[in-house]
Amino acid sequence: MPRPGAWIEPHPHGLYLPAADAWVDPSQPVPRALVTHGHADHARGGHGAVLATPETLAIMECRYGPQHGQPVAYGESLRVGDVDVTFVPAGHVLGSAQILLEHKGERIIVSGDYKRRPDPTCLPFEPVPCDIFITEATFGLPVFRHPDTGSEIDRLLAALHANPDRCVLVGAYALGKAQRLIMEMRGRGHHDPIYIHGALQRLCDLYRDWGVELGELRPATGIKAAEMKGSIVLAPPGALNDRWSRRLPDPITAMASGWMRVRQRARQRNVELPLVVSDHADWDELTETIAELAPGEVWVTHGREEALVHWCMTRQIKARALALAHYDDEDD
């Protein structure tokens, strides 16, 4: 009898489905790709054909130019070769999806990246019963337990209000994190204009096109420093300490990332105000999700695989680590 999931072949550059002649989140161009979401370590240009949610296709076109794309709505099932494919919300960023694969009586979920906390910019994670759950493990260690998001936003706004002659410069990745921070601040009552680095403009515009109302955003370039006193300024992490930031009014340097739990990472980036705001599941959310789904097997990818595999095995859940390459923390 073949082992469970024998019809999926893990390769360093992605998961291959021979029965569909398709790849899931391949890191190099392939004839047919199923893409979970738009971050660069999961989505790239150059594929012959792309199946993804309409939002993810729009993000890929924004980043890589025109795509040979087939939009697949959440909950819509289609036949690809001999495999039934369904895209389900993952709660990671706009358009992010888990991909349910059904073949030979088995149900396998490729979760991509996901989180379980509310996010005003995207649909929440939807639990789907499955035989095999393929999970990320970006924060797959017990030390990673993210604090309440609202409390971190309150810390950010408190720093802003306590320093009216300065600005707060927040490093946030361009896809997902920047837009979520804006919406979280709006939800905590901060309706003042927010200044943004030019590298964030296109994706903020795209989110607006998809119905995410971000409030008033202003370009931070070409503005006198005095005008930005008492304001929030958002920029990509790489701009926090470069020449661009030197023209800001005595900035309090902050960064929003799950990695801000690690003090050394904050020190390396000269971050004065580390904000632990993540778009990935933390340790408790990873383990609680596995317990909720109760799959027959768990396959673990890109992250701290060993600890999560051990956790599964101690609970009599079969588990294995997949040696997939080219995944990074661009999105957190």
Side-chain angles (χ1 to χ4, degrees):
M1 178 178 293
R3 62 173 176 77
W7 48 276
I8 293 185
E9 299 178 1
H11 294 264
H13 54 279
L15 299 172
Y16 180 57
L17 315 176
D21 192 20
W23 294 79
V24 180
D25 287 354
S27 59
Q28 61 189 35
V30 298
R32 181 187 288 142
L34 313 179
V35 177
T36 60
H37 66 282
H39 281 129
D41 56 342
H42 292 257
R44 57 150 301 143
H47 300 308
V50 179
L51 282 73
T53 64
E55 298 92 333
T56 293
L57 286 175
I59 290 166
M60 292 178 70
E61 289 180 357
C62 179
R63 289 186 142 188
Y64 309 124
Q67 301 293 305
H68 301 287
Q70 179 177 347
V72 185
Y74 289 129
E76 176 185 355
S77 295
L78 68 159
R79 189 81 167 176
V80 182
D82 292 328
V83 180
D84 291 314
V85 177
T86 308
F87 285 70
V88 182
H92 180 54
V93 297
L94 180 70
S96 61
Q98 308 168 76
I99 302 179
L100 170 62
L101 306 169
E102 297 178 273
H103 181 58
K104 293 185 175 180
E106 284 188 326
R107 293 163 57 89
I108 297 180
I109 281 280
V110 183
S111 65
D113 290 336
Y114 65 96
K115 67 175 178 290
R116 301 303 304 267
R117 301 188 183 205
D119 181 336
T121 70
C122 64
L123 293 178
F125 178 95
E126 184 177 311
V128 178
C130 55
D131 300 299
I132 297 175
F133 183 56
I134 303 179
T135 180
E136 63 147 307
T138 303
F139 293 110
L141 289 173
V143 68
F144 290 113
R145 289 182 163 93
H146 305 324
D148 174 70
T149 302
S151 67
E152 295 298 280
I153 300 301
D154 288 344
R155 291 177 56 234
L156 168 60
L157 296 177
L160 177 70
H161 298 150
N163 297 275
D165 292 328
R166 305 175 70 183
C167 72
V168 181
L169 171 61
V170 187
Y173 289 104
L175 172 55
K177 186 60 63 64
Q179 297 79 20
R180 182 185 175 200
L181 281 180
I182 292 168
M183 291 299 290
E184 296 284 2
M185 285 188 279
R186 301 307 191 198
R188 308 298 280 192
H190 183 75
H191 299 295
D192 294 348
I194 294 174
Y195 291 87
I196 62 172
H197 187 285
L200 307 183
Q201 187 68 58
R202 286 192 305 161
L203 286 167
C204 286
D205 290 344
L206 184 147
Y207 266 64
R208 280 178 161 156
D209 291 342
W210 286 92
V212 181
E213 297 298 331
L214 299 173
E216 184 178 355
L217 305 180
R218 297 178 180 176
T221 303
I223 304 296
K224 293 181 179 179
E227 294 183 33
M228 289 184 280
K229 288 183 178 181
S231 296
I232 299 287
V233 181
L234 290 181
L240 291 183
N241 299 302
D242 72 4
R243 201 163 68 182
W244 178 89
S245 67
R246 295 173 194 164
R247 47 177 296 280
L248 300 175
D250 191 17
I252 299 169
T253 302
M255 182 162 172
S257 169
W259 295 111
M260 289 298 97
R261 172 69 75 189
V262 182
R263 293 180 181 178
Q264 183 178 2
R265 290 219 181 191
R267 287 196 297 266
Q268 287 171 345
R269 292 183 176 271
N270 297 316
V271 171
E272 182 178 349
L273 179 63
L275 302 169
V276 184
V277 179
S278 175
D279 285 327
H280 292 264
D282 68 5
W283 173 259
D284 289 335
E285 292 159 348
L286 290 168
T287 56
E288 288 167 6
T289 298
I290 294 169
E292 178 182 6
L293 298 178
E297 288 192 20
V298 174
W299 298 357
V300 186
T301 70
H302 61 284
R304 280 70 193 158
E305 297 101 332
E306 297 84 358
L308 197 55
V309 167
H310 176 75
W311 182 91
C312 290
M313 299 296 281
T314 59
R315 286 154 181 82
Q316 289 74 53
I317 302 170
K318 291 183 180 179
R320 58 183 287 209
L322 302 182
L324 301 184
H326 308 294
Y327 290 102
D328 58 34
D329 55 5
E330 181 229 5
D331 51 346
D332 218 87

